Amino acid sequence: MRHGHGDGAAGGRAGAEFDLAAMEILEPLAEKYGLFLAKRTCWYVQFRGGRRMFDVACDPWTSWALGARVGMWSAESGPAVDGVPAPRPRALSVQDILHTVYGMRENTWPWIAATPAELRAILLTLAGLVDRYCRELLLDDEAFARAEAEVNRAIAEREAFLRQFEDR
């Protein structure tokens, strides 16, 4: 997914709408879980605090395609600064979590929003799903590790299944 960077001018009204929707809908969710706004461009928002993170990206070039991830920062194998490894993000897509851990039933809303109103509706749905299903992943390292292992296992199984149909 490609992310535009800037102060909103490049995205015009659409970028401003995304910024406003993120502020109104996602920042309260991040505050609830002790996160704070760490990075924000007109198309990308990342909330980070301590070892937790929640990030959302919107790609205007694919008509408001929206993605979200929950995760944590790990001290494992990041680039070293003054001999100290930098934290490395470990994150899971909300879509993968819901597919793998909770099944398809709660992950059937469209990820494409053609208008700012539809974007707000998707962000509200996303916030509700994160609050309902992913809150423990933002609060509990062991729960995150279990979900990460399940998601990785399901992805590996899906990839192995698809490889059966590749031309040799």
Side-chain angles (χ1 to χ4, degrees), residues 1-79:
M1 183 177 283
R2 185 169 69 171
H3 304 294
H5 294 272
D7 59 6
R13 182 169 173 265
E17 286 287 339
F18 181 69
D19 281 348
L20 186 61
M23 181 174 63
E24 291 177 359
I25 297 166
L26 301 177
E27 285 184 10
L29 180 72
E31 287 173 13
K32 179 176 180 177
Y33 294 112
L35 307 173
F36 63 93
L37 183 63
K39 177 180 180 181
R40 183 169 169 178
T41 71
C42 61
W43 303 113
Y44 178 81
V45 183
Q46 182 178 80
F47 301 95
R48 188 164 54 115
R51 298 184 57 222
R52 315 288 173 205
M53 72 179 170
F54 174 59
D55 74 57
V56 178
C58 176
D59 183 353
W61 294 276
T62 57
S63 185
W64 295 106
L66 186 71
R69 296 166 75 81
V70 297
M72 64 180 68
W73 288 86
S74 167
E76 303 165 5
S77 68

Side-chain angles (χ1 to χ4, degrees), residues 91-153:
L92 296 171
S93 99
V94 170
Q95 199 168 20
D96 278 342
I97 292 165
L98 296 175
H99 273 296
T100 304
V101 181
Y102 301 103
M104 294 286 289
R105 65 190 178 280
E106 296 291 346
N107 194 32
T108 55
W109 81 92
W111 281 87
I112 302 297
T115 67
E118 289 177 10
L119 173 68
R120 283 183 178 277
I122 289 175
L123 285 172
L124 284 167
T125 302
L126 178 67
L129 291 171
V130 168
D131 202 32
R132 182 173 174 189
Y133 291 119
C134 302
R135 62 178 159 241
E136 68 180 315
L137 305 181
L138 286 167
L139 300 174
D140 183 343
D141 288 355
E142 289 180 13
F144 182 86
R146 285 191 304 272
E148 186 177 42
E150 274 296 299
V151 166
N152 289 339
R153 183 191 58 73

